Amino acid sequence: MRTIDKGYKTTLEIKRSQFVCRIFPAKDSKEAKKIISCISEKYKDATHNCSAYIVTDDEGYDDDGEPGGTAGKPMLNILKKNGLANIVAIVTRYFGGVKLGAGGLVRAYGKSVLEAIKSSKIIEMEKYNIYEVLFEYSNIKSIENEIRSRNINILNKEFKEKVNFRIALKTNDNIKHFQEKIKQNGKINYLKTEYLNKLD
């Protein structure tokens, strides 16, 4: 999956109208909608705050008062054409007094998103299953050797009453044998599945 590494902003002036595009990474529809709500509230003085998003659990768009199909849909199409996901785009328009017509609006909103994408850094994300591994201090060496031998990524280590490693495995990895090995020296619990930056 391709997405962007952080938020970006670009501004275009088309026939005296200002089109300010902001794009952000977002992991799900809840986060995407929260970002859209925050930007729309912050720039409520604008004529329109049109939006589009593609995330793991949903996709959507909003013309925010522009003629139907002239803003949000073209924005969504640009995100799709560039093969992006887990991304939200908001174009804030300040009307400059010159009407662009339906075709002009489609081009303006599409171009705004395209320019923001061009200015951004695209990163590859992969789906991982996240597990926690709990074990006694006496088993650190054997557990670490097992993890290292399988090239498993350790996301976090905690040393409390017991040792707690948080690890990431690709979702298509067969971990049954690994789980059996870990259970000999500790406990392994599935936590969640999420997209992470591609891990080596």
Side-chain angles (χ1 to χ4, degrees), residues 42-94:
K42 190 172 181 180
Y43 302 101
K44 59 186 177 185
D45 61 321
T47 319
H48 306 280
N49 282 292
C50 304
S51 58
Y53 62 90
I54 302 172
V55 288
T56 50
D57 61 340
D58 197 15
E59 65 176 56
Y61 62 87
D62 183 6
D63 294 313
D64 192 38
E66 291 282 31
T70 63
K73 188 76 180 285
M75 292 167 62
L76 184 68
N77 287 341
I78 292 296
L79 296 178
K80 286 183 174 180
K81 279 180 185 174
N82 284 272
L84 297 171
N86 279 21
I87 186 169
V88 55
I90 306 104
V91 176
T92 301
R93 182 189 182 193
Y94 295 92

Side-chain angles (χ1 to χ4, degrees), residues 29-40:
S29 56
K30 185 179 177 183
E31 186 177 5
K33 288 172 183 175
K34 185 178 178 184
I35 291 167
I36 292 165
S37 176
C38 287
I39 295 295
S40 298

